[in-house]
Amino acid sequence: MTATPNVYDAEPIPEAARAEIDRMLQSGDLFRYTAPENAPVTLLEQEFADLLGSKYALAVSSCSAALFLSLKALGLPRDARVLVPGFTFAAVPSSVVHADCVPVLCEVGENYRIDMADFEARLMDVQAVIVSHMRGHTSDMDRIMALCDARGIPVIEDAAHSLGTTWHGRNIGTIGRVGCFSFQSYKLVNAGEGGIMVSDDADLIARAVIMSGAYEHNWAKHLAASGPEIEAGFARWQNRLPLYNLRLNNLSAAIIRPQLPEVARRVRDGRANHDYVAARLNTSPWLSVPEKLGPEERAPDSIQFNLVGLSDQETRAFAEAAAARGVKVQIFGLSTDNARAFWNWQFLPGETPDLPQTRAMLMRACDARLPARLTQPELDMIVETLLGVADEVMAQNRAYGT
Ligand SMILES: Cc1ncc(COP(=O)(O)O)c(C=O)c1O
């Protein structure tokens, strides 16, 4: 019998990182602005911009830092209202609060994507939008961009879980004005911590580079930020912006760079694993994996599915029985203090928003890790456990007439 798969360990960091890290340990050259040119962070920015097909990239300490800097670089006034989906990680509305803005939550459907009717209704009264592609589920970017462009509202894409996902063949993170990615562990590229933002907007990136901590003329060391347009931006903003010092260090860049050529393989394997497990889970009357939207090609390293027709008690029994057999499933709305359940974001100003549709989804939506490196027997073990446990919980309850 296949042993319970370890879904928490990341892939080993490619061997190629070692020589570069050894070099840095010898030289002590860890700060991105020490070397006159071609520091690992600078090279990472160039490589990431090329990978995504963006003009500019700025590497920073986390995706949360990238979201915060994006809001600051948009020049939003204090108390500007920023629309955020009601299903995301607590760090996302937190970045809005950090930027002295006010998060406004909108409903998310049972397919984990933004509810477009509610989005449109709430657009009346906001100055910016963060589209969080939570767990890599892409919302309808055609409609979002059409609605926001018509009103002149800038869109920030939170692509923390979307590296490698495409929409009509275009990389997620390159559709809005700016896209933010995470290199925190449990992301497709893992450096423990780290983030990066991409944009084609020279002025926005010039502002973000300075605010990230390019004091004096250190912006001149940004390879992926050269050219007359952005240089005009640096000249315009020199000494006029606060320095938040959210830089990435060279060691992190050395760990990230050799993983970039691995992205295509991780996307391919992660998608194949996900689609295999999804098709098998969908054979159960109690489990439902929502369909992706047509233009989207996903890059999943986890799977989300809804429990259908189960009570709260049955839902808990399902998660407990799966865990007892070695498959850990998180139900976003049922685990205590879950950071993805909006009612736990008590740092938000005002009353807890009323999002009945999002709340109902969170009470039945299951989340299980499914890293790209899993083998076929490991996938089968996960699938059979989940299918078996759902049948058992429901058969037992039917027998007791509950
Ligand atoms: C959807 C989402 N957005 C943003 C973030 C923030 O990423 P970071 O940990 O790099 O700040 C996370 C963190 O996991 C996340 O889940």
Side-chain angles (χ1 to χ4, degrees):
M1 207 188 121
T2 309
T4 307
N6 178 344
V7 294
Y8 292 99
D9 283 0
E11 282 190 24
I13 304 301
E15 191 58 32
R18 261 176 223 280
E20 182 67 350
I21 290 171
D22 274 350
R23 183 190 70 73
M24 282 188 239
L25 295 182
Q26 282 296 322
S27 64
D29 178 14
L30 306 180
F31 179 48
R32 71 166 296 167
Y33 294 135
T34 305
E37 57 189 7
N38 292 340
V41 180
T42 307
L43 296 176
L44 164 65
E45 288 168 346
Q46 186 64 59
E47 289 160 3
F48 199 85
D50 291 346
L51 181 71
L52 272 279
S54 290
K55 275 197 194 160
Y56 310 112
L58 168 65
V60 288
S61 53
S62 67
C63 181
S64 303
L67 290 167
F68 163 78
L69 279 174
S70 301
L71 293 162
K72 284 288 176 193
L74 285 171
L76 296 172
R78 183 175 282 273
D79 294 332
R81 292 162 62 82
V82 178
L83 197 55
V84 174
F87 176 42
T88 186
F89 186 63
V92 178
S94 303
S95 72
V96 178
V97 172
H98 189 191
D100 294 320
C101 297
V102 179
V104 176
L105 304 188
C106 76
E107 288 271 31
V108 168
E110 62 177 24
N111 67 354
Y112 320 128
R113 291 160 174 89
I114 289 172
D115 177 304
M116 289 310 304
D118 194 54
F119 179 87
E120 186 169 357
R122 292 182 202 253
L123 262 193
M124 302 300 167
D125 192 23
V126 299
Q127 281 83 59
V129 163
I130 297 182
V131 176
S132 218
H133 303 293
M134 185 57 176
R135 291 291 190 264
H137 298 286
T138 311
S139 293
D140 184 344
M141 288 307 288
D142 294 346
R143 281 196 69 199
I144 288 173
M145 292 312 297
L147 289 168
C148 291
D149 285 349
R151 292 163 178 76
I153 297 174
V155 173
I156 298 170
E157 286 185 84
D158 167 20
H161 302 168
S162 293
L163 182 56
T165 301
T166 59
W167 177 261
H168 291 299
R170 191 164 160 191
N171 282 309
I172 285 300
T174 66
I175 299 172
R177 180 87 71 86
V178 52
C180 301
F181 295 84
S182 176
F183 299 128
Q184 183 250 342
S185 302
Y186 301 136
K187 303 294 187 301
L188 202 76
V189 168
N190 159 38
E193 298 285 1
I196 197 162
M197 55 198 276
V198 297
S199 180
D200 287 346
D201 182 330
D203 198 63
L204 182 145
I205 286 288
R207 287 169 58 87
V209 165
I210 292 175
M211 287 190 280
S212 75
Y215 59 92
E216 297 164 355
H217 288 191
N218 278 314
W219 42 258
K221 294 180 181 168
H222 284 247
L223 239 191
S226 56
E229 244 190 306
I230 194 157
E231 276 156 23
F234 291 134
R236 192 158 41 245
W237 295 110
Q238 181 74 51
N239 297 338
R240 294 186 54 209
L241 296 168
L243 300 175
Y244 295 108
N245 284 6
L246 299 165
R247 295 173 299 251
L248 193 72
N249 71 68
N250 281 340
L251 271 179
S252 300
I255 288 170
I256 295 164
R257 290 181 61 216
Q259 292 183 62
L260 297 186
E262 304 293 320
V263 166
R265 181 205 29 98
R266 291 179 187 176
V267 169
R268 186 195 63 217
D269 293 353
R271 188 183 297 158
N273 287 355
H274 174 277
D275 292 353
Y276 172 76
V277 172
R280 292 205 53 200
L281 294 187
N282 274 334
T283 62
S284 165
W286 318 114
L287 310 178
S288 166
V289 185
E291 271 293 316
K292 71 177 184 66
L293 301 187
E296 179 189 14
E297 289 302 333
R298 304 197 60 232
D301 62 0
S302 63
I303 188 162
Q304 291 69 47
F305 55 95
N306 295 325
L307 298 177
V308 183
L310 276 70
S311 66
D312 278 1
Q313 194 196 343
E314 289 159 347
T315 300
R316 284 201 172 87
F318 170 82
E320 279 162 22
R325 295 203 205 153
V327 177
K328 194 143 188 308
V329 168
Q330 140 175 263
I331 292 148
F332 296 109
L334 283 183
S335 68
T336 311
D337 295 334
N338 194 296
R340 298 146 204 92
F342 64 86
W343 52 89
N344 290 325
W345 305 340
Q346 288 165 21
F347 55 84
L348 293 184
E351 297 282 297
T352 302
D354 185 26
L355 299 174
Q357 183 180 297
T358 308
R359 183 184 286 270
M361 177 274 285
L362 290 168
M363 296 304 278
R364 292 294 176 273
C366 300
D367 182 35
R369 287 197 45 77
L370 210 59
R373 63 175 165 69
L374 293 187
T375 61
Q376 188 64 44
E378 289 174 325
L379 296 174
D380 285 331
M381 186 270 175
I382 292 173
V383 166
E384 274 144 32
T385 302
L386 295 175
L387 290 173
V389 161
D391 279 347
E392 276 166 37
V393 166
M394 295 314 282
Q396 228 171 47
N397 286 344
R398 274 191 307 221
Y400 292 123
T402 51

